[in-house]
């Protein structure tokens, strides 16, 4: 069982960005730290920390689905997940510039570990998130997250 250090404290910057006003971390002994370290993500004491000033869009849920699952329903888990995907994108950019090719096995393992952290964090959220929302969000990132780990400007 894992835990968050705090509630979210963030300022909204239209149209879709939030900037953390204090650090947010998630700790769970079941985090696959080895897979995450493969892309340079450090998890001391099985803790993932988004520092003050981290920019996020919460959950990338299309607005048409907000009546079913809104970004704030799963916000803390989504922020941690955003950081993990950002680090994967940064790793991919760095590797492609220096080596010219990527080790897809390392990237696939890191994505799988990141998605697993997202699932665990949603399950550990308080107030609790209904199971159907947890699994809907989890399966969405498993299926569609591969586009979110492609390096882009601003990473």
């Amino acid at each position: 069982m894992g835990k968050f250090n705090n509630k979210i404290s963030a300022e909204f910057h239209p149209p879709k960005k939030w900037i953390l006003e204090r650090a947010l971390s998630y700790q769970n002994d079941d985090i696959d730290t080895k897979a995450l370290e493969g892309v340079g993500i450090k998890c001391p004491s099985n803790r993932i920390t988004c520092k003050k000033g981290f920019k996020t869009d919460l959950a990338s849920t299309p607005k048409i689905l907000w009546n079913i699952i809104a970004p704030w329903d799963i916000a803390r888990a989504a922020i941690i997940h955003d950081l993990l995907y950002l680090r994967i994108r940064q790793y991919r950019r760095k590797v492609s510039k220096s080596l010219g090719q990527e080790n897809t096995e390392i990237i696939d393992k890191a994505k799988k570990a990141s998605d697993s952290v997202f699932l665990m964090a949603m399950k550990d959220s308080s107030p609790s998130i209904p199971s159907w929302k947890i699994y809907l969000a989890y399966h969405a990132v498993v299926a569609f997250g591969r586009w979110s780990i492609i390096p882009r400007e601003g990473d």
Side-chain angles (χ1 to χ4, degrees), residues 2 38 60 70 72-73 83 92 115 122 129:
S60 304
W72 47 85
D73 290 342
L83 174 68
R92 291 182 73 183
D115 294 348
M122 287 189 291
I129 301 168

Side-chain angles (χ1 to χ4, degrees), residues 107-125:
I107 294 164
D108 290 346
K109 284 181 181 180
K111 182 191 177 304
K112 184 176 180 181
S114 298
D115 294 348
S116 177
V117 168
F118 181 53
L119 177 62
M120 290 185 285
M122 287 189 291
K123 288 179 177 180
D124 292 331
S125 287

Side-chain angles (χ1 to χ4, degrees), residues 16 59-73 132 136:
K16 296 192 265 185
S60 304
T61 309
K63 197 167 186 174
I64 196 165
L65 298 178
W66 283 13
N67 284 335
I68 299 168
I69 185 165
W72 47 85
D73 290 342
W132 68 268
L136 179 65

